[in-house]
Structure formats: C-alpha cells, structure tokens
Amino acid sequence: MKPALVTFFSVVTLVFAADVSITQDELVRRTQELYDAVVPGNQAPWKKYFADDCLFADEKGRILDKSKLIADITPMPAGYSGTIKIVNAQSRIIGNTAVLSYDADETETIFGQNLKARYHVTDTWLQRNGNWQIIASQAHRYYEDPAVGKVDPKKFADYIGAYDLAPGQTRSVIAQGDRLFVERNGKKEELLPETSEIFFRKGVEGRILFRSVVAGKIDALIDRRNNEDVIWRKTK
C-alpha cells in the first residue's frame, strides 16, 4: 500500500499535468518554429506539435493526416530558399483549447528571383495530458492580382462589341484611348492585360479571354473562373 503522502503528491502531479496553461506568445513561438523548419525539411517540430489524430487542410485543398503531413516536409531543392513569417496573430484560449489565427507571409527565392505569397491559417491547439498540440489546421491563400502585361491597343477594335450570355443578359466591351473596359448594368470595370488576349479585373479572381475563329475574328468573351468557362457570345 502506498503511503498517504505519496498518493497525495501523485494526485497533485496528475492534476497539474492535466491543466497546463498556454499563452498566445508561446503559440506564435511554436508556430514560427514549424515554419522555420520548412526550408531545411526538418520534420521534428511537425512531429512534436501536431497530434497523432490531427487533420491538416492546406491551401491546395488537400486534407492530410499526420503521416502524410510529415512526409510532405522535405528539404527545398538546390537553388531554392525562403522564409515564412507569422504576422497579425490573434488567439482565443479557453480551457484546454486554443485557436490561433494568423497571416503567413512567404518569400521564396528561386535561383536569385524572389516570389511572394500570403496565406491565412487557423490552427486549433488541444491540451491532452498536459501537452498542447495542433488537432486541426486550415489554410487559404490570399488572392493577388497578376502583373500587368503589355497589349497593343490596335487589337481593341476586335474586342469591342456586345456579348450575350442569355436573353436580356448582355455585357459590352468598350475602349477609351489605350484602356479597355467591360460594362454591364451600368457598372464599368477596366480590363487589365495579363497578355495580349488575356485580361483580369483588379481584385477579381479569374480571367477574361477573347476567343477568335477564322482570320482572328472574335466570336466570344470567356469569363474563366476556377478553370471553368462561362461563355458570352458576341452579337455585334
């Protein structure tokens, strides 16, 4: 039989182990440790801070369990490097659950050329047996407009006209000097060139393409969203 004093301290130890608080600063520190391990492909922090039964949803729409997540952490190829910095962190810590929401600013260098991307991530940490680990994580990538390319304004004459989606559903393409616009129901938006025949609207995900037939004659405006096309046929 255990002495009463030993039993008492054992109970105290178990209670303490089951109730370990955590702060936002510590959550951010651990999360930054995870991202600092990405470039060298260091799997150790990912094994440590993700629960065995976690769910990880990345910006590509993949749902990974822990084994697949860990397998995805590999060193970047030669000539590639980068950093991911956590900014704008917010948290809600209630009992044995903590939610950390933050932006991840990524800079990737590919043979001397710098690329940037921004993500928003929400991690849910759960304390079990005195150990805080991520039980669920979800990320999405912020939309960024592409770089504006060059276009020959002389081609605008081919694009100008009315395009119908259905009876009573018409949008018009007009030109003003060396700028091209699409107009519908009194709302006018500038079409910015990505290439000579592919355009985008500022802050709007997707592309506007002009489809040509024989001799370069335009017969349709294509509104491409999520790699699927809505076709507006040119009527005049």
Side-chain angles (χ1 to χ4, degrees):
M1 179 180 295
K2 292 183 179 180
L5 189 60
V6 173
T7 302
F8 170 77
F9 281 116
S10 297
V11 171
V12 170
T13 300
L14 288 173
V15 170
F16 180 76
D19 186 19
V20 177
S21 62
I22 199 164
T23 65
Q24 176 176 304
D25 287 346
E26 176 60 16
L27 293 172
V28 170
R29 187 197 69 77
R30 294 185 182 192
T31 306
Q32 188 62 63
E33 185 181 343
L34 289 169
Y35 289 121
D36 290 344
V38 169
V39 171
N42 178 13
Q43 297 179 348
W46 295 79
K47 292 178 179 178
K48 179 180 179 181
Y49 293 135
F50 275 85
D52 290 342
D53 53 349
C54 70
L55 287 176
F56 183 91
D58 70 6
E59 74 282 359
K60 300 174 185 177
R62 300 182 302 169
I63 307 297
L64 308 178
D65 60 16
K66 185 172 182 176
S67 62
K68 292 179 181 178
L69 171 61
I70 299 303
D72 210 43
I73 306 300
T74 58
M76 296 186 75
Y80 287 66
S81 63
T83 60
I84 301 175
K85 297 299 182 183
I86 297 171
V87 296
N88 304 324
Q90 299 184 59
S91 65
R92 299 293 185 271
I93 303 172
I94 303 172
N96 68 340
T97 305
V99 176
L100 184 68
S101 184
Y102 56 92
D103 291 339
D105 285 357
E106 178 184 39
T107 299
E108 185 176 7
T109 302
I110 303 177
F111 291 93
Q113 299 185 52
N114 291 327
L115 305 176
K116 293 185 178 295
R118 292 191 312 131
Y119 306 88
H120 189 79
V121 186
T122 300
D123 295 332
T124 300
W125 294 72
L126 183 65
Q127 180 200 201
R128 288 185 289 198
N129 300 319
N131 188 25
W132 286 92
Q133 290 183 306
I134 298 173
I135 188 68
S137 180
Q138 185 166 18
H140 72 257
R141 182 171 181 169
Y142 285 110
Y143 171 74
E144 303 285 354
D145 288 331
V148 177
K150 294 183 178 181
V151 65
D152 183 358
K154 294 178 182 178
K155 290 188 175 183
F156 288 176
D158 296 331
Y159 305 149
I160 292 170
Y163 297 82
D164 286 359
L165 177 64
Q169 300 295 322
T170 301
R171 70 200 312 181
S172 300
V173 174
I174 60 176
Q176 294 181 351
D178 60 354
R179 300 167 68 188
L180 197 65
F181 296 85
V182 62
E183 186 173 20
R184 183 184 181 197
N185 298 330
K187 180 181 179 181
K188 185 168 68 174
E189 298 175 286
E190 185 172 4
L191 295 178
L192 299 168
E194 186 172 1
T195 68
S196 60
E197 296 179 350
I198 302 176
F199 297 81
F200 65 94
R201 291 160 290 172
K202 187 175 179 60
V204 179
E205 191 168 4
R207 300 293 187 272
I208 297 293
L209 298 82
F210 292 95
R211 188 178 70 186
S212 61
V213 289
V214 179
K217 183 179 180 181
I218 302 298
D219 76 328
L221 177 153
I222 297 174
D223 190 345
R224 179 163 293 169
R225 309 176 187 179
N226 295 322
N227 297 318
E228 295 187 300
D229 293 344
V230 177
I231 298 175
W232 297 68
R233 302 191 182 281
K234 192 172 185 180
T235 55
K236 61 181 179 179

